[in-house]
Amino acid sequence: MKTEQVLADLKRRFPYEPEYHQAVEEVLYSIEDLYNQRPEYDNVNLIERLCIPDRIFSFRVSWVDDKGKVRNNMGYRVQHNNAIGPYKGGIRFHSSVNLSILKFLAFEQTFKNSLTTLAMGGAKGGSDFSPKGKSNMEIMRFCQAFVAELWRQLGADTDVPAGDIGVGAREVGYMYGYYKKMTRQFTGSFTGKGLAFGGSLMRPEATGYGNCYFLLNMLATKGVDIKGKRVAISGAGNVALYTAQKIMELGGIVVSLSDSDGAIIAPEGLSQEQFDYIFELKCYWRGRLSQVPDKYPSLQYFHGQRPWKLVKCDIAMPSATQNELDDSDADALLAQGCIAVSEGANMPSTAPAVHKFINSRILYAPGKAANAGGVATSGLEMAQNSQKLSWTAEEVDRKLQAIMADIHAQCVKYGRIDDNYVNYVRGANIAGFIKVADAMMAQGVL
Ligand code: NDP
């Protein structure tokens, strides 16, 4: 494989998809040595078949708002690769959604799902519909219209969606309900469902908690304790809030959160009472972080800013969205002595920022390893659904911790480089790639 040539071809054939190019580029440079040692891969042009999704569905979603006006959004499902299991990956509802973002997410998902050691292929879907400011009924009508187009492509052994940005338990419930109506089947064809109808305990917590478990594994390699460490977190959604909750439980100090309007800074660390208030504000009242200083004036709100340059921290856990931490943010974090970055979001650090972290030899965990606890627990939800059983929270948490330790071990195995530094990007990409590549080789040219 000549990596530059493969990338140039992809950019020529699929122009205007920068996030997709960025994700592919990172993986290709990590795996090129291994790939080139195995000519049998290149003989069947494995790399191109792995980079280009198996198939993509795109469709119009028409729905009626509360004023009776007909609205139109775009819907997509990218089924990237099912060499090791049914397609699996979340659905994102956000105004920024386009095919480039979903192709990057589906590509990443394939490697992430492989790392979990569970039998799941990679997929991602979504719409440029924004749930923000919509009524409950509007969201329900949109979810139903979305699934009316997509249900034929889904199924417990075919393609199993879950949540992502803008899609939580409420949206999954509406989509699963409509799927069930169309198919007349009660199967585990969505994950992230409510507990009363097949959801798994610990699934809401899993991505954030899993990222903390991964961080603990990384810190242990340096003999560093999380207790008393200042942790900057971005986002204030599912991943960020459960990350903050677990960090506080472990004795860390949470110094920031953010939403798409701005960041909240807690120079002395969030108290349990302040965190509980923010959790309720975001999860139950769908409020904004800008409202927080009204109740707690000691917490500072910075409109339109991200946390990285605003507060001193030992550890950064970006947990909002892609490319939310750039090279100048990386400079700021490194200058203040940040020792670890563990990504809750998918590809939150730009490529130049990642290079700076790795060149500085700090602990740096890419999202595809550190946030894999979410999809891993979705895999556990699928296992419970197929057995018609529910495991206890302790059981799921134990399995989650074991899976995160296993992912960490795989990263170390394939990521250790000359000076004994563990390059977790390289480790995650190689470990994820080998399993998928070998399965594709065994199954012939498809
Ligand atoms: P949520 O919708 O629950 O929360 C997203 C948070 O990020 C919100 O606070 C949101 O702010 C903020 N945000 C969204 N878009 C932007 C933006 N363009 N700029 C700044 N802030 C933004 O999503 P999740 O917490 O589920 O997902 C967060 C990240 O984690 C995503 O990258 C997702 O792909 C990844 N992830 C999620 C998993 C899961 O299990 N949910 C699993 C693995 C990865 P606002 O409230 O203003 O919209």
Side-chain angles (χ1 to χ4, degrees):
M1 165 174 66
K2 291 195 172 48
T3 301
E4 287 79 13
Q5 188 59 51
V6 176
L7 288 170
D9 280 352
L10 282 181
K11 287 178 183 171
R12 180 182 52 76
R13 293 171 73 183
F14 310 105
Y16 316 119
E17 297 186 353
E19 293 86 1
Y20 171 57
H21 303 153
Q22 182 183 342
V24 171
E25 184 163 345
E26 182 211 275
V27 170
L28 294 198
Y29 280 116
S30 298
I31 62 164
E32 69 177 342
D33 288 346
L34 174 91
Y35 191 91
N36 289 332
Q37 285 159 17
R38 301 192 183 175
E40 63 272 24
Y41 288 162
D42 221 32
N43 291 343
V44 292
N45 201 355
L46 187 105
I47 202 60
E48 205 171 83
R49 290 195 285 130
L50 187 53
C51 289
I52 300 175
D54 288 355
R55 66 192 66 78
I56 299 174
F57 301 100
S58 61
F59 43 91
R60 172 175 46 76
V61 185
S62 296
W63 57 283
V64 183
D65 71 16
D66 286 346
K67 296 194 176 100
K69 192 173 158 206
V70 175
R71 306 277 205 106
N72 298 301
N73 286 97
M74 283 306 296
Y76 308 93
R77 184 73 176 165
V78 179
Q79 293 182 338
H80 187 83
N81 186 292
N82 68 349
I84 63 169
Y87 298 108
K88 178 87 195 89
I91 301 266
R92 178 176 292 192
F93 291 163
H94 193 270
S95 54
S96 64
V97 163
N98 58 39
L99 210 43
S100 171
I101 289 176
L102 295 179
K103 280 173 73 176
F104 118 64
L105 288 165
F107 178 80
E108 291 272 297
Q109 195 80 47
T110 297
F111 296 89
K112 182 191 308 191
N113 293 2
S114 166
L115 277 174
T116 65
T117 69
L118 304 176
M120 297 182 289
K124 202 82 188 189
S127 171
D128 57 0
F129 168 81
S130 170
K132 236 180 264 174
K134 304 290 189 304
S135 72
N136 207 16
M137 283 296 121
E138 288 177 324
I139 285 170
M140 185 184 77
R141 287 195 291 273
F142 176 80
C143 289
Q144 294 179 340
F146 183 85
V147 172
E149 278 298 323
L150 195 58
W151 68 273
R152 286 181 190 81
Q153 320 306 337
L154 308 178
D157 295 319
T158 312
D159 183 349
V160 185
D164 191 76
I165 291 178
V167 177
R170 173 181 60 171
E171 290 76 14
V172 168
Y174 291 148
M175 286 193 278
Y176 179 64
Y178 201 76
Y179 174 84
K180 195 165 56 62
K181 182 178 170 72
M182 299 307 283
T183 59
R184 311 277 201 270
Q185 284 181 353
F186 195 103
T187 58
S189 41
F190 275 79
T191 59
K193 302 184 291 296
L195 288 180
F197 52 98
S200 174
L201 285 163
M202 295 295 295
R203 176 61 188 89
E205 293 90 342
T207 309
Y209 280 23
N211 190 12
C212 296
Y213 298 149
F214 195 92
L215 174 70
L216 292 182
N217 277 281
M218 283 205 300
L219 292 177
T221 65
K222 302 278 180 201
V224 174
D225 194 339
I226 183 79
K227 283 202 184 69
K229 294 287 173 301
R230 295 169 62 82
V231 183
I233 299 172
S234 63
N238 170 274
V239 179
L241 290 173
Y242 284 110
T243 301
Q245 186 180 73
K246 182 54 86 177
I247 289 291
M248 290 169 67
E249 195 185 306
L250 292 167
I253 300 167
V254 173
V255 294
S256 71
L257 290 169
S258 67
D259 60 22
S260 50
D261 296 332
I264 276 283
I265 299 299
E268 307 304 322
L270 284 180
S271 68
Q272 191 62 50
E273 182 189 314
Q274 289 165 342
F275 173 78
D276 291 345
Y277 169 76
I278 293 172
F279 190 92
E280 196 172 316
L281 177 77
K282 294 303 285 188
C283 295
Y284 303 122
W285 306 111
R286 298 181 192 275
R288 311 300 304 160
L289 288 180
S290 55
Q291 298 167 246
V292 175
D294 296 344
K295 172 118 177 127
Y296 295 108
S298 67
L299 301 181
Q300 303 154 4
Y301 178 72
F302 294 85
H303 184 75
Q305 296 202 50
R306 302 178 292 208
W308 319 122
K309 292 175 185 156
L310 298 175
V311 65
K312 187 170 160 29
C313 67
D314 304 300
I315 295 164
M317 302 180 85
S319 306
T321 192
Q322 66 276 351
N323 292 331
E324 53 155 323
L325 193 163
D326 64 19
D327 55 338
S328 69
D329 297 318
D331 286 336
L333 287 170
L334 292 168
Q336 47 169 290
C338 177
I339 55 166
V341 177
S342 201
E343 295 183 341
N346 285 307
M347 209 168 73
S349 307
T350 62
V354 174
H355 289 141
K356 286 191 171 165
F357 293 143
I358 292 175
N359 288 340
S360 307
R361 296 296 191 250
I362 65 164
L363 296 167
Y364 166 70
K368 71 166 72 73
N371 72 29
V375 72
T377 307
S378 278
L380 301 180
E381 182 173 331
M382 289 162 73
Q384 291 169 77
N385 290 165
S386 60
Q387 297 174 69
K388 308 266 189 293
L389 289 176
S390 294
W391 300 336
T392 64
E394 292 70 28
E395 224 172 331
V396 179
D397 195 34
R398 233 184 357 261
K399 289 182 199 295
L400 172 63
Q401 292 188 40
I403 289 170
M404 297 316 293
D406 192 299
I407 295 172
H408 182 267
Q410 293 180 68
C411 291
V412 171
K413 177 175 173 191
Y414 293 105
R416 199 175 285 288
I417 55 175
D418 297 343
D419 58 0
N420 220 22
Y421 174 72
V422 178
N423 180 335
Y424 286 87
V425 176
R426 183 183 155 85
N429 286 336
I430 292 179
F433 167 76
I434 288 175
K435 191 170 157 196
V436 177
D438 289 349
M440 288 174 73
M441 290 299 293
Q443 292 167 25
V445 176
L446 301 171

